[in-house]
Amino acid sequence: MVSEELWSIGELAGRAGVTVKTVRYYSDRGLLPEAERSSGGHRRYGAGALERLLLIRSLRGLDLPLPEVERVLEGDEALEEVVSGQLRELGSRLAALRWREASLRLLQDCPPGERAERLRLIGAVSVPPDTAAMARFWRRILPVRLPARVVSAVLDSVVPRLPEEPSPGQVLDFARLHALVSDPRVQLPGSRPAPPLPDGEYLPAVLYEGLAEAYALASAELAAGRALREGAALDCFVAAYAHARGTVDSPGFRSGLLALLARSDGPVITRYWKLATGLFAPGEPVLGALHHRLSVALHVQVEAGAG
């Protein structure tokens, strides 16, 4: 039987391409198995230690913290967990770098007289930013009786996802949007947008679920190049309000709906959608734009009927 070849700490370091100090550090942490000690008390390592040392070097080369490396050495399942966690962390760091780069370009390219204002705006946003303030803004606006599943669906549709490669313009729009929804003056009862229908006189879940269907139809009709003035999207849009009120669609109802829509679309919501639209991905439906297009289509239809 041939005995395993053993190496001194210096020989192991040379085979692995690391320093003796590195080998000693990992040995002292219990990460490298010693085969035996020489008569003089010097460490001796076998092939298993070399394999383990090369694995540690590879993982450290990927910038994994040593505690994470120690987890990996416990088994292959831990490796998958650690890699997934590191990818998430790296994604967050890259997002922060991309946002920071776009923010710096925004400051670099703007007129000197606007830099102080823009610096104040972007300085109020975390890096990488999040959309929690937008979600809170809409939760304050939505009816309290709205089911949680409907609230979740609405938030998914009205809160833009952050662009992966933000432009300076998108950074500015996001910063202004964040300032809008975080403004304490907007949170005062008198400054909030009016409800879509008189409070207590409609079924919120029926309205919002019906509007979601109308917006989906409108998006499809516009993508197909069809006008909204005559079509399923506009009928569904009106029906959502009618059903929520417990009434039926009629020319008179459509005429009265125009006045309700005019009161519900206040300056805050208009400003919100103006800033948020450019943050949605190309081709992604923007509910504010669809709502406006349907309202305009209804106005044109009612005016044509009156004429």
Side-chain angles (χ1 to χ4, degrees):
M1 180 176 178
V2 180
S3 61
E4 180 184 15
E5 181 181 6
L6 300 180
W7 306 301
S8 68
I9 191 170
E11 290 171 332
L12 177 63
R15 288 175 179 270
V18 299
T19 65
V20 170
K21 182 179 179 180
T22 297
V23 176
R24 184 174 291 112
Y25 176 71
Y26 291 147
S27 292
D28 290 343
R29 290 186 68 102
L31 300 180
L32 296 177
E34 296 178 16
E36 63 180 46
R37 291 261 179 164
S38 69
S39 58
H42 299 293
R43 308 178 197 199
R44 292 290 184 265
Y45 301 92
L50 176 60
E51 182 179 347
R52 177 70 68 94
L53 184 55
L54 291 174
L55 175 59
I56 294 172
R57 190 184 69 173
S58 296
L59 295 172
R60 293 293 285 158
L62 293 173
D63 204 26
L64 264 68
L66 192 55
E68 297 298 292
V69 172
E70 292 175 334
R71 287 187 58 205
V72 170
L73 296 177
E74 295 174 0
D76 289 339
E77 185 173 349
L79 173 60
E80 183 177 349
E81 295 174 3
V82 168
V83 168
S84 296
Q86 287 297 305
L87 284 173
R88 288 192 297 271
E89 181 180 339
L90 183 60
S92 179
R93 287 161 55 189
L94 289 173
L97 287 173
R98 287 191 288 264
W99 198 269
R100 187 172 292 118
E101 179 187 19
S103 299
L104 290 171
R105 294 192 183 281
L106 174 66
L107 295 174
Q108 180 184 50
D109 298 337
C110 76
E114 297 180 14
R115 281 186 184 144
E117 171 67 10
R118 293 190 179 186
L119 185 59
R120 182 188 64 80
L121 285 169
I122 63 177
V125 177
S126 62
V127 178
D130 62 59
T131 56
M134 288 80 171
R136 289 193 297 269
F137 170 79
W138 282 102
R139 286 184 183 277
R140 291 195 302 268
I141 293 175
L142 294 174
V144 295
R145 293 171 292 152
L146 208 57
R149 58 179 175 78
V150 180
V151 172
S152 179
V154 171
L155 293 180
D156 285 343
S157 301
V158 299
V159 176
R161 294 170 181 81
L162 295 174
E164 294 184 1
E165 299 284 348
S167 66
Q170 288 175 318
V171 167
L172 182 58
D173 283 345
F174 184 90
R176 286 173 170 166
L177 184 60
H178 184 273
L180 174 71
V181 299
S182 303
D183 189 340
R185 293 171 297 181
V186 174
Q187 301 174 28
L188 297 174
S191 62
R192 294 179 185 176
L197 289 171
D199 190 30
E201 297 183 13
Y202 73 107
L203 299 174
V206 173
L207 175 61
Y208 283 91
E209 288 178 333
L211 289 177
E213 182 181 354
Y215 296 147
L217 290 171
S219 180
E221 289 182 12
L222 290 172
R226 294 193 295 269
L228 298 180
R229 193 174 71 176
E230 302 287 347
L234 182 57
D235 290 341
C236 185
F237 180 69
V238 175
Y241 286 95
H243 293 164
R245 289 288 297 272
T247 186
V248 296
D249 183 8
S250 68
F253 179 81
R254 294 196 174 207
S255 180
L257 181 56
L258 285 178
L260 288 174
L261 292 175
R263 288 200 299 269
S264 64
D265 293 338
V268 173
I269 294 298
T270 300
R271 176 69 171 165
Y272 179 96
W273 285 115
K274 181 178 180 180
L275 294 171
T277 296
L279 297 171
F280 286 88
E284 185 178 3
V286 180
L287 262 61
L290 294 173
H291 184 88
H292 176 72
R293 296 285 292 271
L294 286 165
S295 298
V296 170
L298 178 62
H299 181 81
V300 172
Q301 186 188 71
V302 169
E303 288 294 313

